[in-house]
Amino acid sequence: MRVSRRFSGIAESATLKMGRLAKELKAQGKPVVDFTLGEPDFDTPQHIKEAARRALDEGHTHYTQAAGIPELREEIASRLNEDYGLDVRADDVLVTPGAKHAIYEAFMAILDAGDAAILIEPAWVSYAAGVRLVGGEVVWTKRFADRREEVTYERLEKVFTPKAKILVINSPNNPVGYVLSKKELEEIAEFAKDKNLLVLSDEIYSKIIYEREHICFATLDGMTERTILVDGFSKTYAMTGWRVGYAVAPPEILNAMLKVQQHSVTCATSFAQFGALAALRDERSKESLKEMVAEFKRRRDLIVEGLQKLGLRCERPDGAFYVFVNVETAGMDGETFAEKALREFYVATTPGSAFGPSCGGYVRFSYATSTESIREGLQRLGRMLEGNA
Ligand code: PMP
Ligand code: GLU
């Protein structure tokens, strides 16, 4: 038996793998401090859970329409129109089992074998894997948090190939936490127009943002017809296990994505969609979100300051809940650092190498974990680095 060729070069998701290792060590009774998975450590707000329970009681236990329940598609559309001044209709929205599946469906819908996707590293681990799984090729450009590396037309032009059909952007970014500026977005838009590219804009962290303002890519001039907007409920409403996300895309693309969905998973889970509807409709969600973001901001300050005191280099994230830390000053590459931290100090992180070809000197910390854990983790890393000196 042999698996298909498309799996050559596809590694296990590094984020999920490190999350699994951390959980396995915990189950063995080890005192693990877990900075691996990016998922809010908050419980899903009660009113959302109640809505899903009610949906179960009311018999919403069957397939829904493949594109999602009409009420949720309506609500998503009106929310986007309210928040960003877009002109989205319910028919433009596809509800998916998680944003991750929306992204995969988009690659399936757009890329033929040999077509290329432009990714900006450091990039979340599943973009490159998704592109390759559908037979596409990845072309990399870079943007760390550094001003000198901002995305420009010129820098995109340097990596452009006529095989490119899509460019993926992710702001606020996982794993660096940067937020793309208006100027960067405008240059991306101009480039997309000139090169006739589609842009997949993964805005899953749009509501988890500290100082800066989120700009929805589809609002840029001429971009509605080129954008596949992806967002979801996992992060904003602490609903990672519910598996509900969505995409808004031009009709032809949305239709192709819908076919992938029909032939793979049918629809997002029925009662989870009712929970998602309550997340959008119920005013209490705003309060929960506000509290969560305020807490993440406190944790961000704590971890960034702590890491810098340890002599590790990292930029202060503007959004999401990750810090991408350069560990080369500690004389290690990211893999060695992550391995040592986990095996000897039970501090679990994700090595940077999974986020792009120039990310080997980095380690990602998710600070979606308690302040006590952050303090404890920093202390242990302090011991590790002293021992290393
Ligand atoms: N995009 C990014 C950048 C992410 O970090 C994640 C992590 N879960 C996802 C998409 C997928 O989210 P979900 O499938 O849980 O909606
Ligand atoms: N997106 C989160 C992360 O980056 C969850 C795991 C995953 O889906 O990759 O950790």
Side-chain angles (χ1 to χ4, degrees):
M1 275 295 217
R2 233 167 17 95
V3 298
S4 69
R5 275 191 292 276
R6 70 171 60 86
F7 283 91
S8 65
I10 307 274
E12 181 181 357
S13 158
T15 47
L16 299 184
K17 176 178 164 191
M18 295 311 289
R20 173 173 59 75
L21 288 179
K23 286 201 178 72
E24 281 170 11
L25 283 170
K26 253 185 254 173
Q28 291 164 23
K30 307 292 191 227
V32 177
V33 176
D34 191 351
F35 294 112
T36 60
L37 283 187
E39 59 172 345
D41 54 325
F42 297 82
D43 195 5
T44 307
Q46 278 308 325
H47 61 276
I48 299 177
K49 291 201 219 173
E50 274 156 27
R53 261 184 231 121
R54 212 175 315 121
L56 282 170
D57 290 341
E58 287 170 2
H60 294 292
T61 52
H62 299 96
Y63 297 133
T64 69
Q65 286 184 28
I69 55 172
E71 308 90 302
L72 181 57
R73 296 173 77 199
E74 283 290 347
E75 198 63 42
I76 291 169
S78 35
R79 184 56 66 93
L80 289 170
N81 297 341
E82 241 170 65
D83 285 358
Y84 303 130
L86 290 170
D87 186 20
V88 174
R89 292 158 311 128
D91 283 351
D92 303 321
V93 180
L94 176 63
V95 178
T96 57
K100 198 184 266 190
H101 200 63
I103 293 165
Y104 184 70
E105 288 174 3
F107 293 148
M108 282 284 269
I110 292 159
L111 298 171
D112 280 311
D115 285 345
I118 303 177
L119 303 188
I120 304 173
E121 66 164 325
W124 174 52
V125 300
S126 290
Y127 302 136
V131 168
R132 291 179 181 131
L133 277 173
V134 306
E137 289 168 19
V138 174
V139 174
W140 293 102
T141 180
K142 269 198 253 186
R143 190 204 195 276
F144 284 72
D146 194 324
R147 281 274 126 77
R148 283 163 308 175
E149 287 196 327
E150 283 188 350
V151 187
T152 61
Y153 190 111
E154 202 189 325
R155 298 186 74 228
L156 289 169
E157 176 106 76
K158 276 198 187 124
V159 300
F160 179 73
T161 142
K163 292 194 286 190
K165 283 180 85 178
I166 187 169
L167 165 69
V168 178
I169 59 174
N170 171 218
S171 174
N173 165 269
N174 172 7
V176 177
Y178 66 69
V179 171
L180 291 171
S181 66
K182 179 130 196 273
K183 178 165 175 293
E184 290 179 287
L185 294 171
E186 282 169 354
E187 297 219 8
I188 292 168
E190 202 188 326
F191 183 74
K193 239 183 276 172
D194 287 354
K195 307 292 183 196
N196 196 19
L197 292 174
L198 290 160
V199 176
L200 189 153
S201 183
D202 180 348
E203 303 186 13
I204 194 142
Y205 296 104
S206 55
K207 298 282 190 277
I208 302 178
I209 192 161
Y210 311 114
E211 281 87 18
R212 297 186 60 176
E213 188 204 349
H214 173 72
I215 300 169
C216 173
F217 188 72
T219 60
L220 276 96
D221 201 23
M223 284 304 110
T224 310
E225 52 268 41
R226 291 195 179 273
T227 306
I228 297 114
L229 164 62
V230 173
D231 202 335
F233 295 83
S234 287
K235 319 286 168 167
T236 315
Y237 305 105
M239 291 173 68
T240 49
W242 294 62
R243 313 307 303 127
V244 191
Y246 59 88
V248 176
E252 209 183 337
I253 299 203
L254 201 79
N255 210 13
M257 291 171 67
L258 174 61
K259 288 180 189 165
V260 180
Q261 180 144 305
Q262 288 175 337
H263 291 299
S264 58
V265 291
T266 307
C267 58
T269 302
S270 54
F271 45 90
Q273 293 187 56
F274 284 90
L277 183 61
L280 292 182
R281 275 191 183 163
D282 196 310
E283 282 298 311
R284 285 171 290 183
S285 305
K286 288 202 180 116
E287 207 39 52
S288 321
L289 174 63
K290 211 166 124 198
E291 281 167 23
M292 190 171 76
V293 173
E295 179 59 27
F296 282 146
K297 190 173 173 202
R298 283 191 284 275
R299 295 176 187 180
R300 175 201 63 175
D301 294 341
L302 179 69
I303 195 164
V304 168
E305 199 195 328
L307 288 164
Q308 286 174 345
K309 272 195 190 140
L310 295 178
L312 297 171
R313 236 176 347 113
C314 69
E315 303 288 332
R316 217 163 78 112
D318 291 316
F321 33 61
Y322 309 98
V323 254
F324 206 50
V325 184
N326 188 320
V327 294
E328 281 166 340
T329 45
M332 282 177 259
D333 65 16
E335 296 275 348
T336 314
F337 185 101
E339 181 72 20
K340 191 172 167 71
L342 181 64
R343 300 288 165 204
E344 296 176 27
F345 294 86
Y346 299 119
V347 175
T349 58
T350 307
S353 53
F355 297 86
S358 341
C359 301
Y362 289 77
V363 164
R364 188 192 78 170
F365 289 70
S366 158
Y367 53 86
T369 188
S370 68
T371 41
E372 299 86 79
S373 298
I374 294 173
R375 287 209 176 89
E376 174 63 26
L378 287 167
Q379 275 182 13
R380 291 192 203 173
L381 290 178
R383 290 205 295 278
M384 169 171 136
L385 295 175
E386 268 166 34
N388 207 47

